[in-house]
């Protein structure tokens, strides 16, 4: 029987912010509105460029702290996966 392969995440990744903290608007890569939430996002939400998650989209990234502008690119340590 084949053992599952354990993959360790990198120590740091880049995250590009798609939805700034406190924004109710989620946008597509081309800037069009994907949806408007009735509640604002409590954190900066983005994705890891050049990655693919199991759903076929890029891996999501949550960035805590001050509000960052849409399109900001930050390099951060990985704290969870």
């Amino acid at each position: 029987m084949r053992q599952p392969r354990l993959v360790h995440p990198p120590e740091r990744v880049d995250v590009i912010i798609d939805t700034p903290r406190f924004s109710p608007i989620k946008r597509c890569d081309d800037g069009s509105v994907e949806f408007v939430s009735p509640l604002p996002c409590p954190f900066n939400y983005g994705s890891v460029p050049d990655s693919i998650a199991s759903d076929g989209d890029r891996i999501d990234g949550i960035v805590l702290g001050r509000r960052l502008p849409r399109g900001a690119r930050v390099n951060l340590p990985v704290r969870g996966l």
Side-chain angles (χ1 to χ4, degrees):
M1 176 183 251
R2 202 172 143 195
Q3 293 292 328
R5 185 175 155 218
L6 296 177
V7 177
H8 298 285
E11 289 186 28
R12 300 183 70 87
V13 294
D14 284 343
V15 176
I16 298 176
I17 302 303
D18 300 324
T19 305
R21 184 178 181 197
F22 303 130
S23 176
I25 301 170
K26 170 118 171 57
R27 296 187 181 271
C28 299
D29 288 341
D30 64 5
S32 63
V33 174
E34 186 172 336
F35 70 88
V36 178
S37 172
L39 299 172
C41 190
F43 41 74
N44 297 292
Y45 173 80
S47 59
V48 178
D50 302 321
S51 67
I52 298 177
S54 60
D55 63 0
D57 289 338
R58 289 187 300 267
I59 295 174
D60 296 329
I62 293 174
V63 179
L64 303 177
R66 66 181 173 82
R67 185 178 201 268
L68 299 171
R70 183 177 182 278
R73 185 181 194 118
V74 292
N75 184 274
L76 301 166
V78 175
R79 297 291 185 220
L81 184 63

